[in-house]
Amino acid sequence: MNLTETILEKARLNLAKTAIVFEGRSHSYGELARSVGQHAGWLSRLGVKKGDRVAIQLPKGLEFIHLHLAVLALGAVTLPLNPGYTAAETGYFLSDSGASLLFTDRAGTKRGPEAGKIPTVLTDDPEHYTGPLGEAALEEPGPGYPTRADDAAMICYTSGTTGQPKGAVITHQNLLSNTAALHEVWHWTDRDVLLHVLPLFHVHGLCVALHGSLCKGATVVMLEKFEAARVWRTIAEGTCTMFMGVPTIYQRLVADLDGRRPDTGSMRVFVSGSAPLGEGLFQKFQDLTGFRILERYGMTEAQMIASNPYDPDRRIPKSVGYPLPGVAIRVVADSGEEVAAGEIGEVWVKGDNVFQCYWHRPAETAKAGPWLKTGDLGYRDPRDGGRLYLVGRARELVISGGFNVYPKEVENVLDNHPAVRESAVFALDDEDLGERVAAAVVLEKGKGEVTAAELVGHCKEHLVGYKCPKEVFFVAELPKNAMGKVQKQVLKSTLG
Ligand code: MCA
Ligand code: AMP
């Protein structure tokens, strides 16, 4: 089954129903189906066919959604890209994935010449767009479209310990099975109205929030950007029932209230994920709103893995709950053996939710499976039915405001600066972001002076903003163990 077809089936049941309200503009299921059909026809005329990778690097909006669902309808593969990526990052994703077409806008072309290396459509250029689209109106995509459950639907890039991002290939079956599991455990119905403030270029905002809603025939109220006061105002209007955010978003929502009690009369559930939700924040949110945040755990390669129960009394802070239906979890020691109940080990995952492969990387794929090794450390509580707790990460990873930053990727950029001998990138605790990216830098003697601001500027030329260090410390040398490995814990405790 094709994800788009599943959504269009819902659309046919109630064409007049509101699918998405984007920044106040209402879009019915009928309009959604028509737009997706038009875009699919247009993509076909542009030569897109099954298996082709189509990059979408657009601001959050209906255009992104129509293109994405049209790409999937054709059996092609969406490559969602953060519009904040630099030319170098964009160029890497386009060439590594072998994308045949890029959708971006005029703002995107300012990024640099990389994008122009493959056929590019500017969605805000009427010459390239409105004309052909107007003519391309195709029949609504029907079951005749050539997609099977195990066909690739998306390639989502995730970095890694080497600093070389890898494309996780996610199938229609991955998406649909996970969406169905979330419908069940979160009691999601077609009467729900989800307030959507997340970016669309990650699994959280695109697959969990958007696909989750549309596959149920529910409604999405979408804001282009998260802003705490607007979220409370929108909730107070009394139509929204669900909200999803990362802990930084909840932190800002609490701060914005400044002790006030918000009007949450229509709300049913607030969900958090992508990073650990602190117990203090969980408690403050409950004190102010009466809602116990429902925390769940996911990963790009596995969509959603575990969730707290829907029953508010069974939502426990610092626990990510139980595996979703159809998902199996093991907690495993370095030896590869499962640890005893209650002991800490690496979380491994298996199920229909787990991705197919890393694009063009059979060795990396083999290393990741057959049970997906998440790199997250946790334990299961035998007294509470094996409830899962995450306690840390086996891999070096900073999660800043819900975005993952792999230190090696930033270190590679810093080390390329002529004044830098070596660098170490690590996490510092941060009240707003959970963790913030920090760098310790040893300068090359005799290569001139460089300031912290200049090094951050150098990073910004090569990396999207959230990966760039918020702080740079100049040190005489990096603390290393006997094996020559940098001791990042020492940096954190001495510099933090
Ligand atoms: C923005 N900036 C950040 C971050 N976000 N810096 C560090 N960490 C961040 N998370 C920087 C920008 O580079 C910019 O820097 C400045 O902050 C202002 O940018 P702006 O876009 O205005 O930021 P914001 O609106 O304050 O964004 C905060 C945010 C956002 C709303 C919390 O980071 C966000 O939407 N996070 C959610 C991420 C997410 O969806 N993750 C899911 C992936 P400068 O001024 O220097 O240029 S994980 C996933 O999908 C798995 C499956 C899962 O489990 O969910
Ligand atoms: P990504 O690779 O961007 O999909 O991020 C996945 C990672 O986010 C996971 O491997 C975890 O480290 C982290 N993560 C997601 N949800 C949670 C959560 N609820 N608590 C702690 N960490 C989480």
Side-chain angles (χ1 to χ4, degrees):
M1 186 65 159
N2 181 305
L3 180 104
T4 301
E5 181 55 28
T6 305
I7 293 171
L8 295 179
E9 255 178 25
K10 291 288 169 197
R12 277 177 219 117
L13 294 177
N14 195 347
L15 293 171
K17 182 173 181 181
T18 303
I20 302 169
V21 184
F22 181 75
E23 287 294 347
R25 190 181 140 210
S26 196
H27 198 57
S28 69
Y29 269 96
E31 285 167 317
L32 180 73
R34 201 167 50 246
S35 297
V36 171
Q38 275 187 327
H39 282 76
W42 183 49
L43 287 170
S44 297
R45 287 171 39 145
L46 289 172
V48 174
K49 42 188 200 320
K50 182 172 174 174
D52 287 352
R53 277 79 61 210
V54 177
I56 308 180
Q57 191 170 36
L58 286 173
K60 189 172 177 181
L62 291 173
E63 197 52 49
F64 183 115
I65 297 167
H66 295 151
L67 278 168
H68 166 58
L69 295 179
V71 167
L72 265 52
L74 294 175
V77 182
T78 295
L79 178 72
L81 294 177
N82 184 338
Y85 283 142
T86 61
E89 288 168 305
T90 304
Y92 172 84
F93 297 129
L94 295 178
S95 84
D96 187 78
S97 66
S100 57
L101 191 58
L102 165 71
F103 287 88
T104 186
D105 57 9
R106 278 181 273 209
T109 56
K110 297 210 181 79
R111 206 174 289 113
E114 295 295 336
K117 289 188 182 158
I118 67 163
T120 298
V121 178
L122 303 180
T123 58
D124 53 356
D125 179 346
E127 259 187 43
H128 283 97
Y129 196 67
T130 324
L133 181 62
E135 292 159 25
L138 189 90
E139 300 276 298
E140 220 181 85
Y145 278 82
T147 313
R148 291 195 325 257
D150 61 352
D151 281 337
M154 294 167 53
I155 297 185
C156 294
Y157 273 82
T158 82
S159 295
T161 40
T162 57
Q164 188 85 308
K166 308 182 286 263
V169 177
I170 296 167
T171 65
H172 287 264
Q173 168 78 349
N174 295 150
L175 296 175
L176 288 167
S177 66
N178 209 237
T179 303
L182 296 179
H183 290 162
E184 181 184 334
V185 295
W186 294 346
H187 298 197
W188 208 331
T189 76
D190 61 357
R191 293 183 303 282
D192 275 308
V193 180
L194 174 86
L195 177 52
H196 190 301
V197 299
L198 291 162
L200 285 175
F201 47 77
H202 275 303
V203 162
H204 195 166
L206 184 58
C207 308
V208 184
L210 184 75
H211 296 166
S213 291
L214 297 181
C215 286
K216 199 71 204 173
T219 297
V220 184
V221 170
M222 198 174 263
L223 305 183
E224 188 171 3
K225 206 172 153 20
F226 167 71
E227 197 205 315
R230 268 195 88 191
V231 167
W232 288 129
R233 276 202 307 277
T234 308
I235 287 177
E237 284 166 13
T239 51
C240 294
T241 62
M242 298 177 78
F243 182 80
M244 289 177 193
V246 300
T248 298
I249 285 180
Y250 285 102
Q251 177 69 28
R252 294 187 189 178
L253 285 174
V254 164
D256 183 75
L257 288 175
D258 197 20
R260 271 179 300 120
R261 286 189 149 267
D263 177 355
T264 53
S266 60
M267 288 299 291
R268 180 169 80 71
V269 66
F270 288 86
V271 180
S272 175
S274 307
L277 178 73
E279 192 167 3
L281 181 54
F282 177 96
Q283 200 53 54
K284 270 189 234 160
F285 196 82
Q286 182 177 359
D287 293 345
L288 286 167
T289 66
F291 281 91
R292 290 169 73 77
I293 296 172
L294 193 166
E295 184 173 7
R296 59 52 176 188
Y297 161 50
M299 184 178 183
T300 299
E301 288 90 331
Q303 305 283 296
M304 296 303 100
I305 299 166
S307 170
N308 267 274
Y310 185 71
D311 174 1
D313 294 336
R314 296 191 58 224
R315 296 176 199 162
I316 297 187
K318 298 188 81 167
S319 166
V320 292
Y322 301 90
L324 293 175
V327 178
I329 284 182
R330 271 186 187 171
V331 180
V332 174
D334 286 344
S335 62
E337 301 287 309
E338 226 169 320
V339 298
E343 278 180 20
I344 292 173
E346 185 181 6
V347 180
W348 289 14
V349 183
K350 207 172 191 174
D352 277 349
N353 57 321
V354 175
F355 77 135
Q356 196 172 61
C357 61
Y358 289 116
W359 179 250
H360 279 172
R361 283 183 171 78
E364 303 264 11
T365 305
K367 236 192 282 167
W371 283 76
L372 173 69
K373 300 167 186 68
T374 63
D376 293 311
L377 297 176
Y379 67 91
R380 302 193 73 175
D381 181 356
R383 291 156 309 170
D384 197 2
R387 178 184 273 277
L388 180 66
Y389 288 78
L390 297 180
V391 295
R393 293 166 212 137
R395 63 203 150 138
E396 270 193 27
L397 165 67
V398 184
I399 305 188
S400 169
F403 284 130
N404 287 7
V405 183
Y406 282 86
K408 194 73 199 159
E409 202 177 351
V410 188
E411 289 161 2
N412 289 345
V413 169
L414 283 167
D415 293 350
N416 271 337
H417 191 283
V420 173
R421 177 138 62 95
E422 56 176 347
S423 64
V425 168
F426 56 103
L428 285 180
D429 294 339
D430 189 280
E431 194 177 345
D432 179 46
L433 297 169
E435 293 176 346
R436 67 178 180 278
V437 176
V441 171
V442 181
L443 290 179
E444 195 71 79
K445 287 200 180 71
K447 288 283 170 76
E449 291 292 306
V450 66
T451 64
E454 281 163 355
L455 284 182
V456 173
H458 168 74
C459 288
K460 285 192 175 174
E461 278 173 31
H462 297 87
L463 298 168
V464 59
Y466 67 82
K467 293 183 183 169
C468 299
K470 302 282 184 215
E471 258 173 296
V472 176
F473 301 93
F474 291 103
V475 294
E477 57 185 330
L478 296 175
K480 293 185 182 163
N481 66 14
M483 312 290 289
K485 190 172 177 325
V486 178
Q487 294 170 299
K488 298 207 173 168
Q489 272 312 323
V490 174
L491 288 172
K492 186 173 172 171
S493 58
T494 54
L495 300 173

